[in-house]
């Protein structure tokens, strides 16, 4: 029986900024339009957070029953390390998806019912990332999914449930947010290239190889600061997001410096802190 601390570790806390940062940025866009609705923002944050936890438990379950997590380096895997029965981890994942669906239903009821379709697609994408017979996460499409759902959908969706509009600022802000979410996944998959290749899991990192994956990480960490300049044209205060740039240096140095295996684990935490700082500062700048 897994302990509470093991369940928390299995939720992969270092990945959770990827779910909350888009909501913070989307709320900043809505606030800049004088359309922020805080209870809707909090509900959107809840949806994003439990979906992310559900994704992590779902991946733990699916990878665990396939045996791809048995020799994995990195955070605790509940099924792969045999500290929790697969059925319990599956139940936790499904419970998170159900909680997200209920909260999403409330947001749809006060805005528009087509959000239910968006939510259904997000849940299906979460499950089939590593679940099912042909998971797309095993076909080098993980980063595409992360960019779409943790960038475009999450940011623009957060703006819409508050302002009920789709301004260009929302789309523009979603791109750098999606790139930073991709950086987190790229760092994770870079660390796992040897074990993923051995188990037949064709992530984008496995397809690109070690050197090009490191370059991809550096690009995902650097490009968001260029998008600040685009947003700063009509919103000069967005430039304060550049203050987060120094936080991109330590993880990028580790990645480009050839860190591998356990040495890449701190990169996840550093990338998460970069996401948080960038997202909060950008949100403030767009709100002002």
């Amino acid at each position: 029986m897994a302990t509470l601390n093991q369940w928390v570790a299995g939720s992969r806390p270092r990945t959770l900024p990827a779910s909350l940062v888009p909501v913070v940025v989307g709320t900043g866009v809505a606030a800049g339009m004088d359309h922020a609705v805080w209870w809707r923002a909090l509900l959107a944050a809840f949806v994003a957070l439990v979906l992310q936890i559900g994704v992590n438990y779902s991946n733990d379950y699916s990878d665990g029953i396939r045996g791809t997590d048995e020799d994995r380096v990195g955070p605790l895997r509940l099924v792969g390390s045999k500290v929790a029965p697969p059925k319990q981890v599956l139940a936790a994942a499904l419970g998170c998806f159900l909680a997200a669906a209920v909260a999403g239903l409330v947001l749809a009821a006060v805005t528009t019912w087509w959000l239910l379709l968006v939510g259904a697609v997000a849940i299906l994408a979460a499950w089939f990332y590593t679940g099912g017979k042909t998971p797309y996460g095993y076909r080098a499409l993980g980063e595409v999914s992360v960019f779409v759902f943790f960038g475009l959908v999450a940011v623009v969706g957060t703006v819409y449930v508050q302002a009920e509009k789709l301004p260009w600022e929302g789309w523009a802000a979603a791109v750098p947010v999606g790139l930073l979410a991709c950086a987190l996944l790229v760092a994770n998959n870079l660390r796992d290239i040897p074990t993923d290749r051995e188990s037949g899991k064709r992530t984008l990192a496995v397809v690109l190889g070690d050197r090009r994956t490191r370059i991809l990480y550096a690009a995902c960490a650097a490009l968001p600061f260029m998008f600040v300049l685009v947003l700063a044209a009509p919103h000069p205060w967005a430039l304060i997001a550049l203050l987060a740039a120094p936080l991109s240096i330590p993880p990028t140095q580790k990645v480009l410096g050839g860190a591998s295996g356990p040495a890449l684990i701190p990169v996840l935490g550093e990338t998460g802190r970069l996401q948080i700082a960038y997202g909060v500062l950008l949100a403030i700048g767009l709100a002002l």
Side-chain angles (χ1 to χ4, degrees), residues 67-89:
T68 55
D69 274 350
E70 291 181 358
D71 299 313
R72 188 67 57 87
V73 175
L76 173 72
R77 266 68 168 189
L78 295 167
V79 177
S81 61
K82 297 179 174 59
V83 300
K87 288 184 178 179
Q88 288 187 2
V89 179

Side-chain angles (χ1 to χ4, degrees), residues 139-158:
R139 284 169 166 71
L141 293 173
E143 282 75 6
V144 174
S145 177
V146 164
F147 181 80
V148 171
F149 289 101
F150 290 93
L152 302 181
V153 172
V155 175
V156 175
T158 298

